[in-house]
Amino acid sequence: MFRVRNFSSRPRSAARLERELARIPDVLKEQVDRIAEAIIYLYTESRRLTKDQAAKHGLTGPQLTVVKILDELGDLSLSELSDRIRAQNSTVTGIVDRMEREGLVDRKRSAEDRRVVHIRLTDKGHKLARQLDFEPFSIFRHALQQALEPAELVQLLALLDKLARWVRREVEETAGARAKKRASNDD
Amino acid sequence: MFRVRNFSSRPRSAARLERELARIPDVLKEQVDRIAEAIIYLYTESRRLTKDQAAKHGLTGPQLTVVKILDELGDLSLSELSDRIRAQNSTVTGIVDRMEREGLVDRKRSAEDRRVVHIRLTDKGHKLARQLDFEPFSIFRHALQQALEPAELVQLLALLDKLARWVRREVEETAGARAKKRASNDD
DNA sequence: CGGCGATGTTTCGTGTGCGAAACTTCTCTT
DNA sequence: AAGAGAAGTTTCGCACACGAAACATCGCCG
């Protein structure tokens, strides 16, 4: 089992990548494209629907996610929140700014470590959270449960998991090769 | 909110379906969450890598996509381009603005219909396109081929396809029920 | 011909999303 | 204890991304 030294191909490895791609029969290439398309479709559609749902309560998509997470887990530091929603700190700062402006959350400097800021749902935020019949990406989950058999779910997870693990390993490897400081924050 | 059961398309024992609707075992719920997470991960990671690739040529992710599409298909109207990259016209206007500023494309008003604008790759744009060894989301495709066996690819596609079809049908249905003017423009 | 709805594009306002730089606080080393 | 460096957050500049409204043009219908 050979592996690709450099996942994100720079010009040097272009030939090699092309050689590898060429080895795959056209039928499979077709399948691969359709898989990619399906994943993209599922992701974007789910996001759009989440946004629609959020709009009904005067929220944006990410804001709804934050409300749900804080309601479920309690106060979180900004970094913890960033990890949860898989966004950069600078992005979350903006989201929290706007939510604070709307009176949904507030910030409280930590006593133990004065660098960290705890994000906390206000009463208004908690009230809103209780009204939300809705989990982020719940449409997605709902779809999974409705569209597939339990056995198929297990199968699908196994395949996606294998794929995700491969990508994760590959990304970390090239990140290491590039000597980037990008730490691997696993779930 | 979600009316689901289409008995017509899936002849299945009512008892079983009801059991599924009633309560999904926790084990499966867990699986469902992890599937969602995997898909989100794969999508965002692929996007990030595409962006990295584009940056090597002084482009952004969407701009790389536009260059590739125009190089392959020739001139397109802005609307056609929007359809291709699945974005709103207003979004593409901005992308084209910046690419025009960089001298990668230019706009030409159509003679037949003076409302439409043709987007065209400049020489510089074509030259750049030839340097790009890289297809949008090719990393994704590459990963699929490296990480999974052909048989697994087929399996994965079947499952995702089933899932995507279900979602598509559901979205169209609820969109129709809400009597929104949002026309379903399918591929 | 003249109006009028449909179509194609842009403008505007707002909200993500990212990376680099600035800033504050903590921690470790000497 | 001073200073170097790490860690947490914010600021800044940029590029999407979307929907609503403005604008221009087309097509049709009377």
Side-chain angles (χ1 to χ4, degrees), chain B residues 65-76 81 99 104-105 119-121 126:
Chain B
T65 306
V66 168
V67 167
K68 270 295 180 189
I69 288 179
L70 290 181
D71 186 53
E72 187 181 339
L73 301 180
D75 307 0
L76 290 179
L81 193 51
M99 293 180 72
L104 296 173
V105 301
I119 316 296
R120 200 174 45 176
L121 269 190
H126 272 114

Side-chain angles (χ1 to χ4, degrees), chain B residues 67-98:
Chain B
V67 167
K68 270 295 180 189
I69 288 179
L70 290 181
D71 186 53
E72 187 181 339
L73 301 180
D75 307 0
L76 290 179
S77 78
L78 190 128
S79 293
E80 290 166 340
L81 193 51
S82 301
D83 284 349
R84 284 276 166 189
I85 70 179
R86 296 185 191 282
Q88 300 301 115
N89 283 349
S90 52
T91 299
V92 178
T93 292
I95 295 171
V96 170
D97 280 350
R98 288 178 287 271

Side-chain angles (χ1 to χ4, degrees), chain A residues 17-54:
Chain A
L17 194 145
E18 230 156 74
R19 192 156 33 97
E20 284 166 2
L21 290 180
R23 292 182 357 158
I24 310 287
D26 282 352
V27 191
L28 284 187
K29 197 175 270 181
E30 168 78 17
Q31 309 252 332
V32 162
D33 278 7
R34 287 181 57 196
I35 289 174
E37 218 171 287
I39 290 185
I40 293 168
Y41 170 75
L42 288 170
Y43 177 86
T44 55
E45 191 60 38
S46 175
R47 214 167 130 118
R48 195 178 69 73
L49 292 171
T50 299
K51 192 175 174 181
D52 284 356
Q53 276 296 314

Side-chain angles (χ1 to χ4, degrees), chain A residues 78-79 89-90 93 107 115 117:
Chain A
L78 190 128
S79 292
N89 283 347
S90 53
T93 293
R107 285 176 160 94
R115 290 171 299 182
V117 173

Side-chain angles (χ1 to χ4, degrees), chain A residues 103-164:
Chain A
L104 296 173
V105 301
D106 53 19
R107 285 176 160 94
K108 197 172 59 112
R109 209 97 213 176
S110 164
E112 307 89 52
D113 186 339
R114 287 185 42 72
R115 290 171 299 182
V116 336
V117 173
H118 293 301
I119 316 295
R120 198 173 47 174
L121 269 190
T122 61
D123 290 348
K124 182 177 175 185
H126 273 115
K127 202 169 299 180
L128 188 54
R130 255 175 279 122
Q131 290 173 13
L132 296 175
D133 48 331
F134 184 82
E135 297 275 339
F137 287 99
S138 75
I139 300 155
F140 208 7
R141 298 190 173 91
H142 189 71
L144 281 167
Q145 291 171 355
Q146 293 299 316
L148 300 182
E149 304 292 323
E152 290 176 324
L153 280 180
V154 174
Q155 231 180 29
L156 179 57
L157 175 57
L159 291 170
L160 287 178
D161 221 42
K162 188 171 179 183
L163 187 56

Side-chain angles (χ1 to χ4, degrees), chain B residues 1-184:
Chain B
M1 170 116 292
F2 292 99
R3 291 167 297 66
V4 173
R5 19 180 115 199
N6 18 22
F7 292 107
S8 49
S9 72
R10 265 217 303 172
R12 188 151 311 292
S13 106
R16 168 169 203 165
L17 202 148
E18 231 160 72
R19 187 150 41 92
E20 287 174 17
L21 284 177
R23 190 172 120 71
I24 310 283
D26 282 351
V27 191
L28 283 187
K29 198 173 270 180
E30 167 79 17
Q31 309 252 334
V32 162
D33 277 6
R34 289 180 56 197
I35 289 174
E37 220 171 284
I39 289 185
I40 293 168
Y41 171 75
L42 289 171
Y43 177 87
T44 55
E45 192 60 38
S46 173
R47 213 168 131 120
R48 193 178 70 72
L49 292 172
T50 299
K51 191 176 173 180
D52 285 355
Q53 273 297 311
K56 291 179 182 171
H57 299 274
L59 294 175
T60 65
Q63 287 175 12
L64 183 146
T65 306
V66 168
V67 167
K68 270 295 180 189
I69 288 179
L70 290 181
D71 186 53
E72 187 181 339
L73 301 180
D75 307 0
L76 290 179
S77 78
L78 190 128
S79 293
E80 290 166 340
L81 193 51
S82 301
D83 284 349
R84 284 276 166 189
I85 70 179
R86 296 185 191 282
Q88 300 301 115
N89 283 349
S90 52
T91 299
V92 178
T93 292
I95 295 171
V96 170
D97 280 350
R98 288 178 287 271
M99 293 180 72
E100 197 174 17
R101 191 213 300 151
E102 299 299 322
L104 296 173
V105 301
D106 54 17
R107 287 175 160 95
K108 197 171 60 107
R109 208 97 214 175
S110 163
E112 306 89 51
D113 185 339
R114 289 183 41 73
R115 289 170 301 183
V116 336
V117 173
H118 294 301
I119 316 296
R120 200 174 45 176
L121 269 190
T122 61
D123 289 348
K124 181 177 175 185
H126 272 114
K127 202 168 298 177
L128 188 56
R130 256 175 278 123
Q131 290 172 12
L132 296 174
D133 49 327
F134 184 83
E135 296 276 339
F137 286 100
S138 74
I139 301 153
F140 206 9
R141 299 188 175 94
H142 188 70
L144 281 168
Q145 292 169 354
Q146 293 298 317
L148 300 182
E149 304 293 322
E152 291 176 325
L153 280 180
V154 173
Q155 234 181 26
L156 179 57
L157 175 57
L159 292 170
L160 286 177
D161 220 43
K162 189 172 180 182
L163 187 55
R165 271 203 312 276
W166 189 90
V167 170
R168 207 183 293 271
R169 197 181 328 124
E170 201 64 23
V171 166
E172 278 168 14
E173 197 172 307
T174 61
R178 286 212 235 133
K180 283 276 184 161
K181 67 180 103 174
R182 188 145 189 78
S184 69

